[in-house]
Amino acid sequence: QLQLQESGPGLVKPSETLSLTCTVSGGSISSSSYYWGWIRQPPGKGLEWIGSIYYSGSTYYNPSLKSRVTISVDTSKNQFSLKLSSVTAADTAVYYCAVAIAAAGTIDYWGQGTLVTVSS
Amino acid sequence: DIQMTQSPSSLSASVGDRVTITCQASQDISNYLNWYQQKPGKAPKLLIYDASNLETGVPSRFSGSGSGTDFTFTISSLQPEDIATYYCQQYDNLPLNTFGQGTKLEIK
């Protein structure tokens, strides 16, 4: 049973880079069974998939965010990370790390979510 | 990009009512469609996968149907604990995926 925990600053200034880390327990981030990803939810709004990374290092991003997003993996720490550059107030959201089953397409595991506010 | 149109955006119903939510894909996604329940302050929870399969441990009053572009999610007899927002999610080109806009379900 995977467990996920997001960490990172809760406040980011406009035009700066948002950086979050997801620590994985209960399984290896080198597993070929999963896509490791990020999903966000602006206050009072719906879910938006940001992107995912596979154990091979292949990355997949939402076309609407692709130019600003980088997802990477640190196998030594069993973590994966999100960087979102040039943030604006529109990037204020609860950010979830989430894991999809590669063979199924279901998002079976979620972190608790962390609120990131973009404000000066 | 595949777009998902979910309706209604909000719904008010009485305990015991049958509730139906629909999701329409902008192109054929076969049965690559999941349904999630999200309660306030919590992460979403998977209820239905591959359009019509009930996730283990989910009450049988929840069901899903459809294929291609048109999908339906049904609660056969609404219970107070079902108050939540429901989302469809397509994964036709996994890991790329898209969520519907969500349906907020309230008790009348």
Side-chain angles (χ1 to χ4, degrees):
Chain A
Q1 186 82 350
L2 293 178
Q3 294 186 336
L4 310 175
Q5 179 65 58
E6 305 92 350
S7 59
L11 181 64
V12 180
K13 289 182 168 55
S15 80
E16 295 189 345
T17 296
L18 178 159
S19 296
L20 295 173
T21 296
C22 184
T23 301
V24 179
S25 57
S28 171
I29 203 158
S30 298
S31 171
S32 61
S33 299
Y34 308 113
Y35 289 102
W36 311 91
W38 293 91
I39 292 167
R40 70 180 183 177
Q41 185 171 37
K45 297 188 178 180
L47 301 165
E48 180 180 35
W49 174 75
I50 299 171
S52 298
I53 189 166
Y54 196 43
Y55 83 105
S56 60
S58 296
T59 52
Y60 310 84
Y61 299 132
N62 186 323
S64 69
L65 298 169
K66 187 173 184 176
S67 63
R68 299 194 291 131
V69 174
T70 302
I71 296 176
S72 59
V73 164
D74 186 337
T75 54
S76 67
K77 296 181 179 178
N78 221 37
Q79 296 175 334
F80 62 103
S81 298
L82 168 70
K83 291 188 185 301
L84 181 66
S85 64
S86 305
V87 297
T88 69
D91 294 309
T92 293
V94 174
Y95 285 76
Y96 294 99
C97 55
V99 178
I101 307 301
T106 52
I107 303 172
D108 282 36
Y109 304 101
W110 300 73
Q112 64 183 22
T114 186
L115 174 63
V116 179
T117 301
V118 178
S119 175
S120 55
Chain B
D1 301 357
I2 299 174
Q3 306 301 318
M4 303 301 296
T5 303
Q6 185 175 339
S7 62
S9 57
S10 64
L11 178 55
S12 182
S14 300
V15 172
D17 281 357
R18 183 180 183 87
V19 170
T20 298
I21 298 169
T22 64
C23 216
Q24 184 172 60
S26 58
Q27 64 188 67
D28 189 339
I29 58 169
S30 185
N31 67 332
Y32 300 136
L33 192 285
N34 303 319
W35 291 95
Y36 297 82
Q37 175 193 65
Q38 185 181 33
K39 295 187 176 180
K42 300 293 186 182
K45 172 189 172 185
L46 177 68
L47 299 181
I48 302 287
Y49 64 95
D50 293 347
S52 60
N53 295 297
L54 194 66
E55 177 72 347
T56 302
V58 174
S60 59
R61 63 180 181 274
F62 295 100
S63 65
S65 64
S67 66
T69 60
D70 295 304
F71 302 86
T72 300
F73 172 81
T74 300
I75 305 174
S76 60
S77 178
L78 185 65
Q79 300 301 304
E81 60 267 31
D82 300 336
I83 298 313
T85 301
Y86 293 85
Y87 293 93
C88 62
Q89 174 231 357
Q90 70 79 20
Y91 63 96
D92 180 65
N93 188 20
L94 190 69
L96 279 70
N97 62 94
T98 315
F99 291 92
Q101 299 92 331
T103 297
K104 186 174 183 180
L105 181 53
E106 298 174 331
I107 293 284
K108 193 180 292 183

